[in-house]
Amino acid sequence: MGVKAVSTYSRFLVSDLLGGGVADVDVAIPLEMATGCAWIQDAATGRLRLEAASGGLVARGAVRVAARLECQRCLAPFESEIAVTILQVFGGSDAEDALPITGDGRIDLESAVRDEVGLAIPLTPVCRPECKGLCDTCGTDLNTEPCGGHAGDSTSPFAALEGLFRPD
């Protein structure tokens, strides 16, 4: 998955909305993010509504972005889409977590979108609900072939407890 050439649509002139206006805007924000099991190198796209509210502005809507994830059961890479809802306040004196409106009447949605997408990345992604994962002894992918079993005595210090909870 490579970075697509996308024009950034994250900054908007909102000075004409502050007196009580509403506008719908399309956003396209290129993101490059990586965690232990997720990689995003694409544009988060969507439509947001900008509305005037008590001396500031509220941006609300939804964006989507493609992500490459690694299954935590079988370790296979897979593609998924991350969809997030955006609700962000700009300006306004009574909102402590509001983002600023610049002196020339503009807002920048990039940090709000980046934060929401980062929070929506799954901590333990799974390629599909019925994924069987890997054998914890030999590492065989149980989705593609059955494990042949593992005969022999265990060297684990807990081997003596192996049959403790088996009904005889």
Side-chain angles (χ1 to χ4, degrees):
M1 168 175 25
V3 177
K4 297 177 184 176
V6 175
S7 298
T8 301
Y9 302 110
S10 69
R11 294 175 184 87
F12 298 95
L13 181 62
V14 296
S15 55
D16 57 335
L17 300 177
L18 294 176
V22 175
D24 290 328
V25 296
D26 292 319
V27 296
I29 301 169
L31 298 177
E32 287 191 41
M33 304 171 84
T35 66
C37 58
W39 302 269
I40 297 174
Q41 289 185 316
D42 202 357
T45 59
R47 178 164 272 234
L48 301 178
R49 174 162 280 199
L50 307 178
E51 298 178 69
S54 67
L57 189 84
V58 174
R60 70 181 85 218
V63 297
R64 299 178 172 283
V65 65
R68 185 158 181 83
L69 305 170
E70 181 179 86
C71 179
Q72 296 301 288
R73 291 183 189 163
C74 68
L75 303 179
F78 68 100
E79 300 284 327
S80 183
E81 183 176 77
I82 296 175
V84 297
T85 300
I86 305 295
L87 177 59
Q88 181 63 55
V89 176
F90 290 87
S93 58
D94 57 339
E96 62 187 50
D97 58 346
L99 293 177
I101 298 175
T102 63
D104 62 347
R106 296 181 189 276
I107 61 167
D108 189 351
L109 293 162
E110 183 176 357
S111 64
V113 169
R114 179 178 304 280
D115 290 349
E116 290 299 328
V117 169
L119 290 171
I121 295 172
L123 295 175
T124 55
V126 178
C127 59
R128 59 189 186 277
E130 65 276 2
C131 178
K132 296 177 183 174
L134 303 176
C135 172
D136 59 354
T137 302
C138 67
T140 299
D141 184 351
L142 300 174
N143 296 305
T144 59
E145 59 185 285
C147 179
H150 305 283
D153 294 331
S154 173
T155 59
S156 167
F158 300 104
L161 302 174
E162 183 177 345
L164 183 64
F165 294 110
R166 285 192 208 145
D168 289 332

